[in-house]
Amino acid sequence: GIAGNYHGVVAKEADSDFARVGYLYFGEQATGAYAQWPQEDACTWGLDPRFRPWYAAAATGPKDVIIVVDVSGSMLTNNRHVMSQKAVEAILDTLTWKDFATIILFNNFVSAVYKDVLVPVTDSERDAMKQFCKNQQWAAGGTNFKSPLRKVFDILHTSIFGGHTSMCQKAVMFLTDGQAA
């Protein structure tokens, strides 16, 4: 089973006097399980592997993600607009080159779209998506949920028929304070 394979790789990674340390990471898609050798106490170094691209890729596989973000005036309350920007960056940081994504910002209407089709999340594309977010207005206007949802389905349709897709799972990350106007 997997335990035997895991121990076999570990045995090859470390030499007999442990002068050289090898590292082995395992992320399992079906359950989201994570294992690491040698064992380290994660609390001491502040890394949560669930937010690492290699872990997210192993746990979820290739996927198409549309990040839809409420940028209405109500998002100014308690700095929700700042939290939503950080959430978008965290989502982007878990995506890999096998994933396809785009971003929709909305208030009274769709206020900005990164791309009208899904794009592979390469390092340079991720950086461009983050820069796109930094250049936008994050808290103005009312809230209309219908416009961005229509745009989601337009993008999915265009991307699938244009071949701009991972051909795997689809996810819509809808970030809002829930206050529709």
Side-chain angles (χ1 to χ4, degrees):
I2 190 72
N5 292 341
Y6 190 74
H7 288 298
V9 171
V10 168
K12 291 177 186 176
E13 289 294 324
D15 56 7
S16 59
D17 61 357
F18 295 103
R20 181 182 67 87
V21 177
Y23 291 89
L24 181 65
Y25 302 95
F26 172 78
E28 198 255 332
Q29 185 174 356
T31 65
Y34 164 76
Q36 169 184 326
W37 186 89
Q39 179 180 352
E40 291 185 28
D41 203 359
C43 294
T44 62
W45 47 284
L47 171 70
D48 186 339
R50 295 173 299 168
F51 300 109
R52 303 287 293 192
W54 58 265
Y55 179 86
T60 62
K63 64 202 144 300
D64 296 341
V65 179
I66 301 179
I67 304 168
V68 183
V69 188
D70 180 350
V71 294
S72 65
S74 65
M75 294 296 282
L76 280 171
T77 305
N78 297 322
N79 284 324
R80 293 177 186 146
H81 66 294
V82 174
M83 290 186 282
S84 64
Q85 286 175 326
K86 289 180 181 177
V88 169
E89 285 197 18
I91 293 167
L92 290 173
D93 285 342
T94 65
L95 301 177
T96 69
W97 59 270
K98 293 188 253 182
D99 302 315
F100 284 67
T102 194
I103 303 166
I104 300 171
L105 305 180
F106 76 96
N107 47 32
N108 297 39
F109 50 89
V110 173
S111 61
V113 178
Y114 177 69
K115 298 274 175 135
D116 286 320
V117 295
L118 296 167
V119 295
V121 187
T122 61
D123 289 341
S124 61
E125 199 72 58
R126 179 184 302 104
D127 291 343
M129 293 170 114
K130 288 180 180 181
Q131 190 59 48
F132 162 82
C133 289
K134 288 178 184 175
N135 294 338
Q136 304 304 313
Q137 171 62 263
W138 278 79
T143 310
N144 176 351
F145 294 152
K146 291 179 185 177
S147 296
L149 290 175
R150 283 188 193 109
K151 187 66 174 172
V152 164
F153 290 105
D154 289 345
I155 289 171
L156 285 173
H157 181 267
T158 303
S159 297
I160 290 167
F161 286 100
H164 304 280
T165 175
S166 68
M167 295 304 293
C168 293
Q169 299 296 319
K170 313 286 184 251
V172 177
M173 306 300 291
F174 199 83
L175 307 177
T176 180
D177 60 6
Q179 297 182 16

